[in-house]
Structure formats: C-alpha cells, structure tokens
C-alpha cells in the first residue's frame, strides 16, 4: 500500500501533532468540529523527514500526486481551479511542527498567482488594485522565503516607486503603481536567482513545499531547538499546511483580525483582540494601519460580531482552553484561519483556571495541569517591568528570583548602615560569607561575581526571598576601591543598579518593578493542588521571620532549619567566637551557657509559629572557621593595633613628661590619651587568639573536612547545648499548651555509629528535660543523607534514624565530585553547551546518578523501618521536574525555600495527577 503523506483537514487526527504539526492538527480539529475554516490539507512531518534524509533532497515520489488529489477537493469546495485563468484558486503555504517554533519558514500567501491567474482574479473581483497588491505581496514573500532573495532588494524597488508616485503610505498607491511594483519585483527575482520567476503554479507549490521542509534544518530553527532543548521526541520535522486563500481585503465588508478568547493580561472573561477592515492578515501585524479593538466590531459589523462571539465560545468549549486565533471575513463570511492555546501571563493563567472550573468548562485536574509550576514565580516576587527597553550591562547566574533596584554598596557593614538610614541597597561582593549576613538583611538584593547557585549568597538570598545574581564573572569587584568594573562600565559605590535574579541580568540605573500578587485565585488554586498532591511540602526556614513567611506561602512544616544562621546574628557572633577560641571545655561551656537561652528562645518562637506542624532542626553543620574573620583580615587588624599601641605608649611618655615639667604650674598644659593601653593589649590578645585559632582550624578542603556530625563529635558541648535548647523550647511550649513536633536532624552522617553516639546524648538530655519540666515531649531523631556512603548504608542508618532527609546539594557534589562553589561558573556552562551534561545538576536533580542513589536509599531504609518518613531538603526540593521524581520514588515530603513553596505545591499535584 502506498504511504499516506497528505491528510485533508476533514480527515486528519487533530490529536496527532507529531505527524501533522500543531497548526495542522488544530486546523483538522476545527474543521471536524464544524467551525468554518477555509478548506485545505496537511503534508505530514514524515514526508519532511523522508525528504531531508534523501541525499538528493527529492520529495517522496508519490507526494505531489497526493497533493494534487487533495487540491482537487479544495477546488471543488471553493468552486475555483488552481492555475486556471477562470476563477483561479490561490493558496497559502505554512510551516508547522509539533512545537510552535519561531525560526522556521514564514507563511507564503497568494500562491498560484501568475499573469494569467491574475487576469482571472481581476475579472472575478473587478478590483484591479486589490489583485496587483496580492501579486506583489506574493512575489516578495515567495522570493524571500522560497528563493532566498533578500528583503532589502524588494524594499529598495518598492521605495523607488513610492517616490515616483509621490506617496508615503502604501495604501495611497494606485493599481498602476502596484502593477509597476510587480514588474520591478519580478526583475529583482530574475536578477538575483538568474532565472525567471516560476510561472507555473504547480512548480510554485513544489518549490514552496521544499522550502518549508528545508527551513526545518535552517540555522535559526536549529539554534532555537538547541536553546529550548526541543528533542526529536518532542518535535521531529515540520508539516506543511496548504489552505485555500480567503481575502479580508476584498471590500469594506471584509476584514481580518486576531483574537484571544479571554484577556491574556488579566484573565478576565472578555474577548480581546484587534481587527482591520479591508485588509490582509499581515497588515495587522505590520502596524501599517492602526487596528481597532474587537469590541468596536459590535457597532461596525454587528451581525459578524455575533458570529465572532459564537466562534469564541465554540473554540473554548472545544479546546477547553483559552485560544489565540486568527480570522478573516471575506464578503461578510467569517473564517477561522488558525487557533492555538493562548499564551498568557501567570495572573491570567491562574484566574482563567479558577474561573473555567467554576464555569464547568474544565475540571480541577485540568485547571492545575495547564499551569507550569515555575510560572507562579511571576506572582511571588516583585519582577522587572517586562516592557523596559533598558539593556543589561552584565549577566550572571539567576540565583534567587525577583527584581531589585538600589545603590551599590560593597560591604555588609555599610549596607546595614545605609539600609537603616532608609536607602535601598544592593550588596555587591566578590562572594559572601556568613559574617555578611547583616548586610543581607539590610539589602534589597545581592550581586556577587563568584559562586554558583548553591553558593552562600544564593542559598541565603533564596531563604530570605531576596533577589540574587551570583557568579557574574564579567564583573570585577574591587571592595577596597568600592567599585565594580564591567568592560568599559564602572559602578562606583552609591550608583543605582538593578538586578534581575530571575534571569541573572544586571542593569545600570533603575528599572521599574512590578509588585508580587498573591491573589485569592492563587489561594484557591493551591488549595486544589493540596487536595491532589501526595507529597507534603515543607519550607527551609531558619528564623522566626522565615517561619512566618513559610506559613504565608502554605508550608506544611519546616523541613530544614539551618541553625548556623542563628549563630551568625551580629548580637551573637561574639559569643560564638568565644566558644570557638576557647581552649578548655570549661571556657567553651561558659560561652555555650550564654548561647543556650538565646537558641531556646529562637526555637520556642519557631515552634509556636509553626504549631502544630513539624519542625526539623539540623544541628550545626558548617566548619567553625566560617564564623571567624579571614586570616589576612586579622593580620592587617593586629598590625594596625600594634602600631596604635606604640603611638599610645608615646603619648603616655609625652603626658608623663609634660606633667613632670609643669608640675608646679597649676594651669599647665595637659596631654589627653585617647585609649587605655591596657584595653588595647586585651584587644590585641583576643585578635591574636582568633588568628591562632583560624590558623589551627585551616583546612585544605573545608567542605569535605571538619564539619557536620564530625564537628559535633569533636565538640560534644556544642551539639549538647543545641539538643537541650530544642527540648527545653519544646517543653516550654507544651507547658503553654502549644502542640509542637520537633525533629532533630544530624548533618553529614556517613556511619550508623555517628548517629548512635548523638542519639545517646539526645536520649539522656531528653530524660533530663522531661524530669525537670515534669511532662512528656515527643521528638524524633533523624539523619540527613548527603554523603554517598550514607545512602549505601541506609539500611543500617535506619536502625538509628526515624527519618531521612536527602541533602541533595552535598549529595550532588559528592556523587559528581564537583565542588558546589566552583562548578557552576567554571565548567558547567561549557558542559551544558556541548551536551556533555544536559542540565546543571545543582539545579535539576540528576535522576540517573544522584536519583539512583536516592531510590536505593529509600528502598533500603524502608526495609529496616517500613513506611519510614523520607524527604528532601536540598535546592532540588523546589524544582518541579525533581519533585516529580521525588513523588515517583515515594518520598514523604519535599522542602524548599519559602517562596518556592507554592511552586512545589503545584508541582506535587502535577506529579500525583500524572501518575494517576
Ligand atoms: C544539602 O546539602 O542539600 C543541604 C540542604 O545542606 P546545605 O546546603 O546546608 O549543605
Ligand atoms: Mg549539606
């Protein structure tokens, strides 16, 4: 049997976009649902692939035969003949693959015109001007897209005639002028291609079909597919749509327009769009004449407007989706030329989802599935006005979404000061450290020239919901000179800059912002998501303020409270430093005794805010040197202090000598000493102790060194203090009748013995606290899984741990042996560009490697402890594709930064609906 390459709109399967392309499939759907579409047919993507795979680029041998057969049917439907002088049929030729894809061939209109058919058309319409206008458009479009003639050659010829005719507007050209233009255009083509313009409509059609097929492999289309990761499974080859021409420019009873079935800006249920009387489609787009809003048609063409509203209703009830459609009215008859799902902003998507459910048009599953979870980001952060024409001066990594403007400030102390004085500040650093935290609080956003998406700046900014652009390597930050250099541009302290943490762009000056909108529609939609989802969604939140925000975004608990942020508070840092530099257990305990009530208050606050939801607290994780200043800074400071001590001693000598010289003079001059040298000695001693500690704590690779549970086991007092603070806070809450569920989580674990030791401390302190308060406290004990060995030993670990939480930031680092801090701006972009790795594994969970480890660990953990609670708290916990994977391997919850909680809730619902 012969292969079928061509399907009429009446027979093609409207669901088969792979075969017929999106446009073709939709035209089949429209035709078959009784909506008036000009007759036509689709040549399949299979024909395209067969042509492209042929070394001589010949069309499948029977393709043109099939095309001709279908053309006969179109001729019959239109009562016109293709290529005949009498009542000629003209067609449009359009590309269309399974995915809508700019970069492929543009539409060719009016194909089939030549001197003969033109005469026929003039005879039919009695409108010479219209016909020459159609002809000149055809020659140019065909010349450009099918024969490769540059547009400028046509434009030059066109302008020449306009000049001769002394007109400025195309509309003022007469039929004669247009006839001259056609003549000139034919010469342009002949000169450029060294061949006459093809006269035979069948030849025109064959050339056009080949041109559409070739455009699939055109540079623009290939680049587009690469950029947007369109794989052959998603779209392979382009279809060709051949459609009978209908004319919106035939008379004043004709028109052309574009419409949205609802307002794509707000989602309001009103028709939206524009039209032009007596015009062809491209006039609306080209902006030559100003179109009118569709609402005006109600007065101008009331009968047609009624039909248009019926068309709108049919489109929505058929496609169950807001449609973006094109139409033409030829002599009072309305045709729908094309339709596709309307692209809308997030506000409109959410509103239309909720309203379409209320109208009974779609069900809740459809309402949830039609919104890509990441889209909600637009609603959760202030963002840059998309209409800005300002150009970025640099690009970094989109590390924490949202837009922010402010004055550039190059150190955290000044940022804090300026922030408190009411200035909007962007903290600009080479990279940030825990001691910069107060600068984060006071800033609108953070810009760093080093570090990746899981760098300190990125993680902290995301946790706070502040925009951050990280690793903007095109920027050289000079903190000492308080300036940043970007190519020729210099940003000095105090200059206004804008960062876009959603794209990584950096602007000089202020770009207007659009506010975040957490609407009641969004609340409704997310409540539906929670009904459908199986995964729970927790937040990563470290402070009471974070916890409040997490609740606002609908978090069902806290999945990760990183206690190091509490240590970094400027009021506490001195105590933390005392604890670190302590030489004896007693000295360390003295400092810890001061920290205990502070931590207890933090936990009590967080528990009360989140009650009755669970709160997972992770004991201290980072290497402790991170709380101390850097070695060079201490060396510089000690140097300055020693010089000062010398000067002070000089002043003391001067003062003593003056007193001695003038001792009998009651009004003798006095020398003031500005500081007490003893105090200075004490300060220098402290700094020297810090320096010696910094040196003794130095590690070649701190991220793989003395941190997490290893640190906890070396300094048991630190973990004991934290455990006591958690349990006492829980006891105080219980006493006040607050229902709390603390969970203690141990970081960086690799053996069950590590867990076992800490668990013994927990049991001992638990008993002490229960005895002291005279009540029972429930508290569970669990482990992070962020070390490869921990995953491999999950079966053993589960004997000690009641729950697991995958720390996929570290687990990704450990599985790939890629440094979290360096990979993202050193070699990962090159890896992605060259397809060595498809995605950035610190952003999109590497399902094949890291995911495999997770899957095994879940299975093994639950062998020991059936139904064990297992979650994820790395950055992947807020990424939709990773969430789908977490659902598939049976995790209990995902935990992510607060502003991603709504995105995760929607993604969790998607995963549940898709898996049935
Ligand atoms: C992790 O490693 O995924 C994690 C959550 O811990 P952190 O990012 O604090 O190391
Ligand atoms: Mg970690």
């Amino acid at each position: 049997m012969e292969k079928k390459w061509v399907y009429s709109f009446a027979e093609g399967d409207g669901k088969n976009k792979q075969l017929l392309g999106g446009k073709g499939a939709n035209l089949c759907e429209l035709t078959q649902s009784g909506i008036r579409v000009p007759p036509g047919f689709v040549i399949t993507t299979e024909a395209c692939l067969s042509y492209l795979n042929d070394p001589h680029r010949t069309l499948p041998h029977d393709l043109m035969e099939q095309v001709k057969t279908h053309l006969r049917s179109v001729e019959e439907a239109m009562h016109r003949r293709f290529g005949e002088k009498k009542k000629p049929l003209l067609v449009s030729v359009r590309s269309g693959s399974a995915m809508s894809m700019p970069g492929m061939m543009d539409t060719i209109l009016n194909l089939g015109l030549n001197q003969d058919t033109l005469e026929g058309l003039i005879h039919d319409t009695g409108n010479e001007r219209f016909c020459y206008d159609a002809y000149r458009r055809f020659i140019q479009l065909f010349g450009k897209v099918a024969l490769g003639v540059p547009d400028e050659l046509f434009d030059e010829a066109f302008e020449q005639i306009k000049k001769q005719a002394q007109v400025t507007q195309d509309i003022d050209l007469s039929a004669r002028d247009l006839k001259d233009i056609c003549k000139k255009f034919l010469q342009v083509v002949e000169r450029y291609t060294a061949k006459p313009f093809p006269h035979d409509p069948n030849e025109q059609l064959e050339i056009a079909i080949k041109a559409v097929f070739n455009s699939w492999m055109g540079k623009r289309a290939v680049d587009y597919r690469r950029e947007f990761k369109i794989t052959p499974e998603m779209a392979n080859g382009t279809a060709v749509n051949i459609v009978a021409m209908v004319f919106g420019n035939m008379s004043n009873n004709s028109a052309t327009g574009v419409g949205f079935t609802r307002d794509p800006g707000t989602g309001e249920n009103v028709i939206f769009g524009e039209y032009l009387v007596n015009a062809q489609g491209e006039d609306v787009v080209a902006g030559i004449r100003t179109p009118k809003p569709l609402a005006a048609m109600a007065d101008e063409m009331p009968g047609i407007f009624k039909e248009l509203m019926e068309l709108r209703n049919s489109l929505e009830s058929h496609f169950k989706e807001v449609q973006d459609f094109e139409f033409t009215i030829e002599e009072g008859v309305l045709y729908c030329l094309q339709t596709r799902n309307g692209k809308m902003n997030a506000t409109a998507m959410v509103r239309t989802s909720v309203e379409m459910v209320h109208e009974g048009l779609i069900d809740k599953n459809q309402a949830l599935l039609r919104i890509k979870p990441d889209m909600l980001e637009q609603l959760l952060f202030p963002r840059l006005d998309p209409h800005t024409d300002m150009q970025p001066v640099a690009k970094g990594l989109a590390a924490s979404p949202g837009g922010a403007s402010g004055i550039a400030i190059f150190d955290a102390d000044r940022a804090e000061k300026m922030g408190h004085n009411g200035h909007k500040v962007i903290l600009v650093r080479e990279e940030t450290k825990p001691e910069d935290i107060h600068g984060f609080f006071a800033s609108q956003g953070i810009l760093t020239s080093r570090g990746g998406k899981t760098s300190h700046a990125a993680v902290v900014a995301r946790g706070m919901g502040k925009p951050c652009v990280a690793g903007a390597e095109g920027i050289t930050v000079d903190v000492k000179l308080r300036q940043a250099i970007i190519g020729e541009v210099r940003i000095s302290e105090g200059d206004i800059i804008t960062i876009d943490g959603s794209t990584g762009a950096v602007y000089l000056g202020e770009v207007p912002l659009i506010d975040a909108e957490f609407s009641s529609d969004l609340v409704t939609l997310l409540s539906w998501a929670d009904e459908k989802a199986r995964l729970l969604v927790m937040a990563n939140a470290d402070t009471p303020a974070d916890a409040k925000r997490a609740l606002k975004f609908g978090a069902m608990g806290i999945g990760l409270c990183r206690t190091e942020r509490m240590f970094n508070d400027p009021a506490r840092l001195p105590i933390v430093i005392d604890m670190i530099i302590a030489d004896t257990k007693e000295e360390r305990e003295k400092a810890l005794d001061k920290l205990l009530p502070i931590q207890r208050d933090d936990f009590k606050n967080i528990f009360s805010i989140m009650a009755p939801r669970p709160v997972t607290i992770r004991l201290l994780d980072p290497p402790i040197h991170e709380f101390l200043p850097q070695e060079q800074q201490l060396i510089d400071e000690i140097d300055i202090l020693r010089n000062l001590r010398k000067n002070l001693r000089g002043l003391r000598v001067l003062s003593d000598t003056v007193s001695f010289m003038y001792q009998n003079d009651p009004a003798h001059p006095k020398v003031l000493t500005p500081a007490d040298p003893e105090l200075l000695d004490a300060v220098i001693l402290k700094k020297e102790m810090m320096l010696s500690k910094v040196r003794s704590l130095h590690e070649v690779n701190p991220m793989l060194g003395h941190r997490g549970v290893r640190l906890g086991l070396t300094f048991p007092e630190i973990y004991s203090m934290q455990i006591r603070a958690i349990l006492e806070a829980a006891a105080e809450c219980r006493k006040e009748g607050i229902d709390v569920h603390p969970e203690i989580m141990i970081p960086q674990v690799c053996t069950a013995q590590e867990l076992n030791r800490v668990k013994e401390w927990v049991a001992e302190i638990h008993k002490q606290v229960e005895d002291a308060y005279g009540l029972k406290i429930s508290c569970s004990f669990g482990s992070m899984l962020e070390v490869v060995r921990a995953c491999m030993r999950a079966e053993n670990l589960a004997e000690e741990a009641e729950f697991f939480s995958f720390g996929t930031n570290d687990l990704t680092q450990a599985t790939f042996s890629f440094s979290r801090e360096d990979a993202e701006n050193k070699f990962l972009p090159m890896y992605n560009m060259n397809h060595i790795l498809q995605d950035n594994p610190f952003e999109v969970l590497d399902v094949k490697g890291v995911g495999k480890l997770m899957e095994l660990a879940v299975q093994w953990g639950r062998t020991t402890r059936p139904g064990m609670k297992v979650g994820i708290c790395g950055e992947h916990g807020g990424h939709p594709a990773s969430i789908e994977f977490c659902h598939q391997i049976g995790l209990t919850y995902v935990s992510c930064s607060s502003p991603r909680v709504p995105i995760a809730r929607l993604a969790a619902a998607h995963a549940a609906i898709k898996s049935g």
Side-chain angles (χ1 to χ4, degrees):
M1 212 182 91
E2 276 192 346
K3 183 142 182 93
K4 189 164 169 62
W5 303 113
V6 184
Y7 290 83
S8 74
F9 294 159
E11 65 180 345
D13 172 5
K15 301 280 173 287
N16 197 347
K17 294 196 172 162
Q18 275 292 349
L19 185 70
L20 304 177
K23 200 174 287 159
N26 273 352
L27 286 167
C28 293
E29 284 264 341
L30 285 174
T31 305
Q32 290 162 36
S33 69
I35 289 170
R36 193 187 297 118
V37 171
F41 52 90
V42 199
I43 305 174
T44 65
T45 54
E46 286 178 354
C48 170
L49 295 179
S50 162
Y51 168 79
L52 292 174
N53 289 333
D54 182 280
H56 307 291
R57 293 266 163 117
T58 44
L59 293 172
H61 75 278
D62 48 350
L63 174 67
M64 287 314 288
E65 264 325 296
Q66 293 188 22
V67 165
K68 276 176 198 151
T69 309
H70 280 85
L71 213 47
R72 291 294 90 78
S73 308
V74 177
E75 288 175 343
E76 273 162 32
M78 294 296 287
H79 307 292
R80 295 179 165 273
R81 299 298 296 266
F82 187 65
E84 297 256 321
K85 189 166 177 176
K86 196 164 165 222
K87 290 197 135 259
L89 171 72
L90 305 186
V91 294
S92 68
V93 179
R94 295 162 173 230
S95 59
S97 76
M99 307 273 297
S100 134
M101 224 176 78
M104 283 190 322
M105 202 195 76
D106 302 320
T107 306
I108 298 178
L109 300 175
N110 307 331
L111 188 136
L113 274 176
N114 57 24
Q115 290 303 336
D116 296 336
T117 53
L118 182 72
E119 267 179 48
L121 197 66
I122 294 171
H123 177 266
D124 284 349
T125 60
N127 187 340
E128 206 180 359
R129 189 191 181 282
F130 153 71
C131 295
Y132 278 110
D133 195 35
Y135 194 31
R136 65 100 186 167
R137 286 172 199 265
F138 169 56
I139 302 167
Q140 177 162 3
L141 265 175
F142 189 90
K144 180 179 131 189
V145 299
L147 304 174
V149 184
D151 247 345
E152 303 82 70
L153 299 181
F154 293 111
D155 292 343
E156 271 167 32
F158 195 74
E159 286 310 313
Q160 226 177 5
I161 302 275
K162 259 164 87 175
K163 216 168 174 182
Q164 274 170 24
Q166 296 181 332
V167 303
T168 50
Q169 302 259 9
D170 298 1
I171 197 104
D172 297 326
L173 289 166
S174 66
R176 235 193 114 73
D177 298 330
L178 288 163
K179 189 173 173 182
D180 284 347
I181 287 175
C182 293
K183 215 162 114 195
K184 276 235 177 258
F185 277 11
L186 290 172
Q187 286 164 1
V188 164
V189 173
E190 186 159 353
R191 218 172 297 132
Y192 189 83
T193 62
K195 275 194 226 149
F197 188 88
H199 177 84
D200 174 5
N202 288 311
E203 191 189 342
Q204 291 172 358
L205 192 56
E206 190 169 331
I207 292 173
I209 292 168
K210 285 182 179 169
V212 175
F213 286 165
N214 285 329
S215 73
W216 178 253
M217 291 313 292
K219 187 176 173 328
R220 275 194 303 155
V222 172
D223 287 349
Y224 186 88
R225 290 200 289 279
R226 184 178 326 115
E227 177 71 22
F228 291 95
K229 301 199 173 90
I230 298 178
T231 60
E233 289 72 46
M234 295 154 83
N236 204 6
T238 176
V240 184
N241 299 287
I242 297 181
V243 192
M245 284 297 302
V246 286
F247 296 98
N249 53 346
M250 228 173 214
S251 66
N252 282 338
N253 198 20
S254 303
T256 186
V258 290
F260 263 86
T261 53
R262 301 184 189 218
D263 185 330
T266 62
E268 194 185 350
N269 189 0
V270 288
I271 194 163
F272 179 92
E274 296 175 321
Y275 74 107
L276 267 176
V277 171
N278 201 354
Q280 240 184 357
E282 54 181 349
D283 298 335
V284 180
V285 187
I288 297 162
R289 283 156 58 195
T290 311
K292 297 180 190 169
L294 283 181
M297 199 190 269
D299 295 328
E300 196 172 25
M301 301 170 145
I304 290 286
F305 184 70
K306 206 166 143 260
E307 271 189 52
L308 189 72
M309 295 304 282
E310 280 161 17
L311 170 63
R312 162 186 183 253
N313 296 341
S314 317
L315 286 174
E316 279 207 349
S317 52
H318 184 81
F319 288 98
K320 313 257 177 249
E321 183 50 277
V322 176
Q323 294 294 298
D324 163 5
F325 63 103
E326 286 176 21
F327 65 90
T328 283
I329 301 157
E330 185 185 80
E331 300 287 18
V333 182
L334 173 68
Y335 293 91
C336 182
L337 297 190
Q338 153 174 345
T339 188
R340 59 183 168 201
N341 292 347
K343 281 203 169 52
M344 291 177 280
N345 64 24
T347 311
M349 283 302 283
V350 171
R351 177 168 176 177
T352 49
S353 258
V354 172
E355 290 188 355
M356 287 197 291
V357 169
H358 290 151
E359 290 160 22
L361 199 59
I362 56 175
D363 61 23
K364 286 182 186 174
N365 285 358
Q366 289 167 312
L368 293 163
L369 286 176
R370 67 191 279 276
I371 303 177
K372 280 208 164 82
D374 268 330
M375 200 179 193
L376 298 186
E377 204 166 80
Q378 283 177 26
L379 305 178
L380 307 171
F381 303 93
R383 62 197 164 98
L384 303 196
D385 183 345
H387 300 112
T388 183
D389 46 15
M390 286 171 67
Q391 290 302 316
V393 288
K395 189 109 205 278
L397 299 166
S400 176
S405 292
I407 51 175
I409 298 287
F410 290 82
D411 76 76
D413 292 342
R414 277 177 61 76
E416 185 180 41
K417 211 155 138 204
M418 301 299 279
H420 286 166
N421 287 344
H423 292 280
K424 288 195 166 163
V425 168
I426 304 287
L427 177 63
V428 184
R429 304 282 294 158
E430 211 169 5
E431 60 187 338
T432 61
K433 293 238 172 283
E435 71 253 26
D436 291 326
I437 196 79
H438 54 300
F440 278 64
F441 287 126
S443 302
Q444 307 297 308
I446 290 86
L447 169 63
T448 68
S449 60
R450 283 180 40 195
K453 285 189 186 169
T454 52
S455 63
H456 176 265
V459 171
V460 174
R462 271 199 296 275
M464 292 183 180
K466 296 201 173 186
C468 172
V469 173
E473 290 205 319
I475 302 184
T476 312
V477 174
D478 189 331
V479 172
K480 286 215 168 91
L481 289 180
R482 298 187 179 285
Q483 66 176 26
I485 307 288
I486 311 161
E488 307 278 283
V489 182
R490 177 197 309 264
I491 300 174
S492 300
E493 185 148 297
D495 288 348
I496 294 186
I497 60 170
T498 300
I499 59 170
D500 185 345
S502 309
T503 63
V506 181
Y507 299 80
L508 204 57
E510 184 170 354
V511 180
L513 295 179
I514 294 173
D515 277 345
E517 321 142 51
F518 208 91
S519 65
S520 65
D521 285 333
L522 183 56
V523 172
T524 306
L525 187 89
L526 290 174
S527 73
W528 297 343
D530 296 345
E531 282 168 21
K532 305 283 173 188
R534 187 186 50 70
L535 279 168
L536 300 173
V537 180
M538 311 286 172
N540 293 355
D542 309 332
T543 61
D546 285 356
K548 278 195 192 132
R549 229 151 36 91
L551 270 192
K552 200 181 95 198
F553 287 114
M556 300 161 197
I558 290 180
L560 174 64
C561 173
R562 291 176 164 107
T563 45
E564 51 268 26
R565 272 239 340 246
M566 299 171 173
F567 280 34
N568 268 315
D569 186 302
R572 302 166 189 190
L573 205 53
I575 312 175
V576 174
I577 291 175
D578 277 349
M579 172 193 83
I580 296 171
I581 61 174
D583 272 335
T584 62
K585 190 163 175 263
E586 289 69 39
E587 278 177 34
R588 183 165 309 113
E589 275 175 351
K590 225 162 97 191
L592 287 165
D593 284 348
K594 286 192 207 155
L595 277 178
L596 175 75
I598 305 177
Q599 284 248 286
R600 189 174 53 218
D601 274 359
D602 285 333
F603 295 139
K604 198 177 159 193
N605 257 325
I606 294 177
F607 292 157
S608 318
I609 293 165
M610 295 308 291
R613 299 167 188 80
V615 177
T616 308
I617 294 161
R618 181 178 75 182
L619 303 189
L620 196 64
D621 180 18
I624 44 179
H625 77 263
E626 283 198 7
F627 299 101
L628 296 176
Q630 290 197 334
E631 183 181 6
Q632 193 53 49
Q633 184 188 336
L634 284 167
I635 293 173
D636 291 349
E637 286 174 1
I638 291 171
D639 201 34
I640 293 167
L641 289 170
R642 282 190 182 141
N643 282 336
L644 183 61
R645 181 160 63 184
K646 245 194 194 153
N647 292 338
L648 276 186
R649 282 196 188 130
L651 278 173
R652 170 73 63 90
V653 174
L654 177 66
S655 164
D656 290 351
T657 313
V658 169
S659 306
F660 175 75
M661 283 166 62
Y662 296 97
Q663 53 188 314
N664 295 326
D665 180 355
H668 79 75
K670 287 206 169 43
V671 178
L672 295 176
T673 47
D676 174 4
E678 261 101 70
L679 178 65
L680 200 54
D681 285 344
V683 172
I684 292 173
L685 185 65
K686 180 104 178 191
K687 293 269 176 194
E688 284 171 343
M689 283 165 74
M690 284 162 75
L691 179 60
S692 114
K693 204 71 190 180
V694 165
R695 285 182 172 149
S696 75
L697 290 174
H698 173 77
E699 292 176 287
V700 174
N701 199 338
M703 289 302 271
L704 299 178
H706 203 177
R707 62 178 289 210
V709 69
R710 305 188 276 277
L711 189 74
L713 290 174
T714 323
F715 303 109
E717 315 80 61
I718 302 179
Y719 271 18
S720 295
M721 180 278 287
Q722 291 197 296
I723 296 165
R724 184 172 295 281
I726 293 167
L727 292 167
E728 288 185 358
E732 289 190 5
C733 286
R734 282 221 74 102
K735 230 168 64 187
E736 292 169 22
I738 303 168
D739 185 13
V740 292
H741 296 277
E743 303 187 333
I744 295 176
M745 182 161 74
I746 314 301
Q748 301 294 327
V749 171
C750 56
T751 87
Q753 282 69 24
E754 288 168 332
L755 275 180
N756 177 273
R757 298 289 155 85
V758 184
K759 199 175 172 183
E760 278 174 9
W761 303 342
V762 173
E764 198 183 313
I765 299 169
H766 196 161
K767 185 162 179 325
Q768 288 168 6
V769 175
E770 285 190 340
D771 288 349
Y773 283 80
L775 41 75
K776 288 276 165 225
I777 314 156
S778 82
C779 173
S780 58
F781 179 80
S783 176
M784 296 218 26
L785 296 189
E786 50 189 343
V787 169
V788 177
R789 193 177 191 282
C791 295
M792 303 321 278
R793 299 291 290 160
E795 207 171 330
N796 285 71
L797 262 50
E799 283 171 12
E800 305 294 342
E802 291 163 272
F803 67 90
F804 287 152
S805 178
F806 288 104
T808 44
N809 301 336
D810 275 312
L811 192 57
T812 301
Q813 164 172 275
T815 310
F816 280 84
S817 290
F818 286 175
S819 148
R820 267 164 79 164
E821 296 291 320
D822 299 319
E824 286 183 299
N825 48 22
K826 288 287 185 290
F827 55 85
L828 270 181
M830 181 276 281
Y831 262 43
N832 294 150
M833 206 141 77
N834 292 305
H835 302 289
I836 297 170
L837 277 178
Q838 190 79 15
D839 294 302
N840 171 356
F842 290 102
E843 202 173 16
V844 182
L845 188 74
D846 161 50
V847 167
K848 292 181 189 151
V850 181
K852 190 78 203 163
L853 275 172
M854 293 169 68
E855 195 175 355
L856 291 172
V858 174
Q859 266 174 31
W860 291 336
R862 287 184 179 155
T863 314
T864 306
R865 202 180 276 273
M868 184 179 190
K869 172 169 163 176
V870 186
I872 177 176
C873 62
E875 294 305 309
H876 309 89
H879 181 265
S882 314
I883 292 171
E884 187 171 353
F885 177 74
C886 292
H887 174 94
Q888 286 160 359
I889 62 168
L891 293 199
T892 321
Y893 69 89
V894 297
S895 187
C896 54
S897 58
S898 298
R900 286 203 77 81
V901 165
I903 296 166
R905 288 164 68 194
L906 184 54
H910 278 206
I913 298 167
K914 284 187 203 157
S915 69

